[in-house]
Amino acid sequence: QVQLVESGGGFVQPGGSLRLSCAASVNIFSINIMGWYRQVPGKERELVAVTSRGESTTYAASVKGRFTISRDSAKNMVNLQMNSLKPEDTAVYYCYADRNWFGQRGTYWGQGTQVTVSS
């Protein structure tokens, strides 16, 4: 079992920045894919950015160039630096982990953190 705890959401004006963090209860080297999804009411959850154990990254087209995902292996955390935020970035952001480690397999989600971008 993997617990994911998010922090760093909040309210920001357009053009501002926020940094989300996700702390895992296990060594993140044991996690294949870790990252962030987001969801707004009435819509499906969508990928924002993910990073692999090999530190390759994938970004949604809508955030590329504005958001940066990074792994902090020493702290077992994944961070999402969000710059030049837009109102359409408003959503609940969920940390995600996909683990397949010596037979320990599972997909895990954090509880979500609200990000609101508004003037």
Side-chain angles (χ1 to χ4, degrees), residues 1-7 21-26 28 31 33-36 76-78 94-98 107-112:
Q1 190 75 5
V2 178
Q3 277 78 49
L4 302 172
V5 179
E6 301 118 332
S7 61
S21 295
C22 175
S25 62
V26 300
I28 63 171
I31 298 175
I33 304 290
M34 195 167 175
W36 297 90
N76 293 322
M77 294 180 70
V78 169
Y94 294 90
C95 184
Y96 163 85
D98 180 87
T107 300
Y108 305 93
W109 295 93
Q111 78 283 0

Side-chain angles (χ1 to χ4, degrees), residues 2-114:
V2 178
Q3 277 78 49
L4 302 172
V5 179
E6 301 118 332
S7 61
F11 180 93
V12 65
Q13 293 187 336
S17 299
L18 283 175
R19 182 179 177 87
L20 303 183
S21 295
C22 175
S25 62
V26 300
N27 189 321
I28 63 171
F29 188 78
S30 71
I31 298 175
N32 297 21
I33 304 290
M34 195 167 175
W36 297 90
Y37 282 67
R38 67 187 181 188
Q39 189 170 25
V40 297
K43 291 191 174 182
E44 292 188 359
R45 195 169 294 188
E46 64 175 7
L47 181 146
V48 178
V50 292
T51 179
S52 71
R53 182 185 295 124
E55 300 198 22
S56 64
T57 56
T58 299
Y59 293 94
S62 60
V63 307
K64 196 172 291 186
R66 300 188 296 123
F67 292 10
T68 302
I69 190 169
S70 61
R71 281 194 178 213
D72 186 340
S73 298
K75 297 181 179 179
N76 293 322
M77 294 180 70
V78 169
N79 301 306
L80 185 69
Q81 179 65 41
M82 305 186 294
N83 298 328
S84 302
L85 283 160
K86 305 175 180 180
E88 51 263 44
D89 295 317
T90 296
V92 178
Y93 283 69
Y94 294 90
C95 184
Y96 163 85
D98 180 87
R99 190 184 195 206
N100 184 1
W101 184 253
F102 291 100
Q104 298 180 34
R105 306 183 67 171
T107 300
Y108 305 93
W109 295 93
Q111 78 283 0
T113 185
Q114 178 71 45

